């Protein structure tokens, strides 16, 4: 890393450095969080999986929306990016009823103000994908909000642009995943505004940390399909009776190995590229 890079922030997973006024270095660590708590145990190569997959999608969706990626570095876990003014909302698209979407539907029959047919079951496919924004909580959990609340935060014009763009991205990646035997149940995107006032896709995109991918062959509405997201680690943590407040539990070796294998499998199935090949030459995902 350049001597001049200044550490400007630290998320649960990423370290952010300023390269200059217009560029950031995003470094994805191997940290894993569950229930918004970073665990003391790392998952080897997880940051590389997230970085490689994001790069893969950025390269394939740049005609739908510009993205922040400038350079993918040789370590496979750092990227030079355009520095953006991030919008204060998490841009979630759901094609299926899972997680907080399912919870809200069960309680109110709606998700973020979208009225839905009665009688849907957990994990069921929605009549059409919906945009369900959430607040970006500085601490604690994000909260689902309706259109009016999101418009309040970003303005009506920007909201409409973000909604249309997020739905188009979801549709592209969900078709792509479907051809590889995976269902993209839902995903969280983060957008920002660049120096020319353009909407730009930032952060990570369509990774197991930001998305729920389900193997299509094992999908049955009415339950929780096995997924490539953090369910495996979550299940382990819950089996301990942990109260979901910091500090989180250490992970035993078999949970570390199993989790790493799931991240790597998601990478390989979605990209069709061997993970070893990526480690040898990360820019392979951009071709
Ligand atoms: P939080 O930042 O709330 O802790 P997180 O734990 O998901 O969320 P990380 O993914 O670890 O955070 O770190 C990424 C951070 O960098 C996020 O806050 C994200 O909004 C921000 N970010 C991503 N891309 C850009 C960009 N191009 N310009 C500015 N900020 C960005
Ligand atoms: Mg993040």
């Amino acid at each position: 890393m350049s001597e001049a890079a200044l550490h400007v922030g630290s998320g649960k997973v990423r370290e952010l450095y300023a390269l200059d006024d217009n560029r950031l270095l995003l470094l994805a660590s191997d940290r894993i969080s569950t229930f918004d708590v970073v665990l003391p145990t790392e998952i080897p190569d997880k940051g590389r999986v997230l970085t490689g997959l994001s790069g893969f999608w950025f390269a394939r969706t740049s005609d739908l929306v510009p993205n922040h990626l400038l350079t993918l570095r040789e370590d496979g876990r750092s990227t030079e990016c355009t520095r953006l003014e991030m919008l204060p909302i998490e841009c979630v698209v759901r094609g299926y009823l899972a997680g907080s979407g399912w919870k809200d539907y069960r309680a109110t029959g709606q998700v973020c103000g979208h009225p839905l047919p009665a009688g849907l079951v957990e994990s069921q496919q929605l009549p059409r994908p919906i945009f369900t924004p959430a607040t970006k909580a500085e601490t604690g959990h994000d909260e689902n909000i309706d259109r009016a609340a999101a418009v309040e935060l970003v303005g009506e014009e920007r909201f409409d642009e973000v909604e249309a763009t997020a739905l188009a991205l979801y549709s592209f990646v969900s078709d792509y995943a479907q051809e590889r035997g995976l269902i993209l149940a839902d995903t969280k995107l983060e957008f920002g505004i660049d120096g020319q006032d353009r909407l730009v896709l930032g952060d990570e995109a369509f990774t197991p940390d930001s998305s729920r991918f389900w193997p299509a062959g094992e999908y049955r509405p009415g339950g929780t399909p096995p997924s490539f997201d953090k369910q495996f680690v979550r299940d382990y943590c819950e089996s301990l009776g942990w109260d979901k407040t910091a500090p989180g539990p250490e992970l035993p070796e078999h949970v570390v190995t199993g989790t790493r294998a799931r991240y790597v499998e998601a990478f390989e199935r979605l990209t069709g590229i061997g993970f070893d090949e990526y480690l040898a030459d990360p820019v392979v995902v951009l071709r």
Side-chain angles (χ1 to χ4, degrees), residues 10-14 16 24 26 68 81-84 86 136-138 188 190 202-204:
S10 186
K12 287 185 286 295
V13 170
R14 290 174 183 75
L16 278 73
L24 286 180
L26 244 66
H68 71 167
C81 302
T82 308
R83 193 173 192 160
L84 303 171
M86 300 308 285
K136 257 186 197 173
E138 286 295 323
K188 189 230 15 175
E190 291 191 34
D203 203 52
E204 62 178 329

Side-chain angles (χ1 to χ4, degrees), residues 34-138:
T34 46
F35 308 108
D36 288 327
V37 174
V38 178
L39 301 181
T41 314
E42 299 197 331
I43 307 298
D45 290 326
K46 173 175 173 284
R48 292 195 169 93
V49 167
L50 303 183
T51 303
L53 261 176
S54 296
F56 180 82
W57 297 121
F58 286 143
R60 279 153 189 81
T61 58
S62 57
D63 52 343
L64 292 174
V65 61
N67 60 67
H68 71 167
L69 179 66
L70 299 170
T71 307
L72 176 51
R73 288 198 176 173
E74 264 173 39
D75 63 3
R77 65 166 80 243
S78 8
T79 45
E80 296 174 22
C81 302
T82 308
R83 193 173 192 160
L84 303 171
E85 192 63 54
M86 300 308 285
L87 296 181
I89 54 173
E90 309 265 22
C91 299
V92 178
V93 178
R94 301 172 190 276
Y96 293 74
L97 259 189
S100 70
W102 166 241
K103 225 174 82 198
D104 290 356
Y105 173 77
R106 229 177 10 174
T108 67
Q110 304 190 349
V111 184
C112 295
H114 293 276
L116 296 170
L120 297 179
V121 296
E122 184 172 14
S123 307
Q124 190 157 350
Q125 184 170 20
L126 297 170
R128 69 189 67 79
I130 53 174
F131 181 60
T132 59
T135 56
K136 257 186 197 173
E138 286 295 323

